[in-house]
Amino acid sequence: MIRIGDKVIDQLSFPDGALNVKIPEVDNLLVSWHYQNDSELFTLICLRKHFKNYPMALYMPYCPHARMDRVKSAEDCFTLKHFCEVINSLEFSEVYIEDPHSNVAPALLNNCITVQPFTHLENVMEKIENSEDLVMCYPDEGAMKRARFFSEVLG
């Protein structure tokens, strides 16, 4: 889902499948992209080009392709690099990403500001604070390191 300011951008399509996007009147040029699939990227490109003469910021709570942060073999496509090249070509004044998978995405994105998800974690910790049966599971070493960092910061 893509929002500009507080308005959701409806991603409609013509009968042939081509994008039919209507740009609402807005006061705020902060674009929030709550990624669902790559087809939204074309909507984002069209939005940015529509407002090409104005500074515009992009907020992505999840950075698409961030998990493809390295190439291990010749058959791997470094999709994160190509994704970041497209975002960079749109020349956002700031690109905010929340809790990136690794430090590669922020390094590849121009004007990138990393936002730590402390508010989300504080809400979760309040709900489980009195739980005696708390078990934490991590999908990988990076997740474990981030969780350890957040738990130290949040106390």
Side-chain angles (χ1 to χ4, degrees):
M1 174 181 61
I2 297 176
R3 290 180 180 270
I4 183 163
D6 62 349
K7 308 243 171 82
V8 173
I9 301 299
D10 291 323
Q11 297 176 72
L12 308 171
S13 58
F14 290 104
D16 68 351
L19 179 64
N20 177 10
V21 65
K22 306 289 186 207
I23 313 272
E25 215 174 286
V26 293
D27 298 328
N28 177 346
L29 291 182
L30 172 64
V31 175
S32 298
W33 182 14
H34 295 261
Y35 179 82
Q36 293 175 322
N37 60 58
D38 283 342
S39 69
E40 295 168 325
L41 181 57
F42 186 62
T43 301
L44 184 68
I45 291 167
C46 293
L47 263 178
R48 183 62 189 120
K49 295 209 179 263
H50 182 81
F51 290 105
K52 68 181 176 213
N53 295 323
Y54 301 94
M56 180 179 267
L58 174 64
Y59 169 69
M60 296 183 291
Y62 170 78
C63 182
H65 302 280
R67 294 178 191 277
M68 189 59 193
D69 59 359
R70 64 184 53 90
V71 174
K72 294 180 181 177
S73 68
E75 65 187 13
D76 289 342
C77 182
F78 194 3
T79 58
L80 175 60
K81 178 183 174 191
H82 305 305
F83 172 79
C84 290
E85 288 170 351
V86 171
I87 296 298
N88 289 341
S89 75
L90 299 176
E91 299 180 346
F92 287 101
S93 54
E94 298 95 21
V95 176
Y96 298 92
I97 57 175
E98 198 168 303
D99 190 26
H101 179 73
S102 70
N103 61 356
V104 178
L108 292 174
L109 286 167
N110 295 340
N111 307 316
C112 184
I113 300 165
T114 301
V115 178
Q116 299 300 338
F118 292 119
T119 304
H120 305 299
L121 292 169
E122 286 173 337
N123 291 338
V124 169
M125 300 218 7
E126 284 175 12
K127 291 176 184 173
I128 62 172
E129 188 172 358
N130 298 323
S131 175
E132 295 176 12
D133 300 324
L134 177 62
V135 176
M136 302 203 50
C137 300
Y138 309 104
D140 58 27
E141 185 178 350
M144 184 180 71
K145 287 178 184 176
R146 284 193 306 278
R148 186 177 302 137
F149 168 76
F150 293 133
S151 67
E152 288 171 2
V153 169
L154 295 174

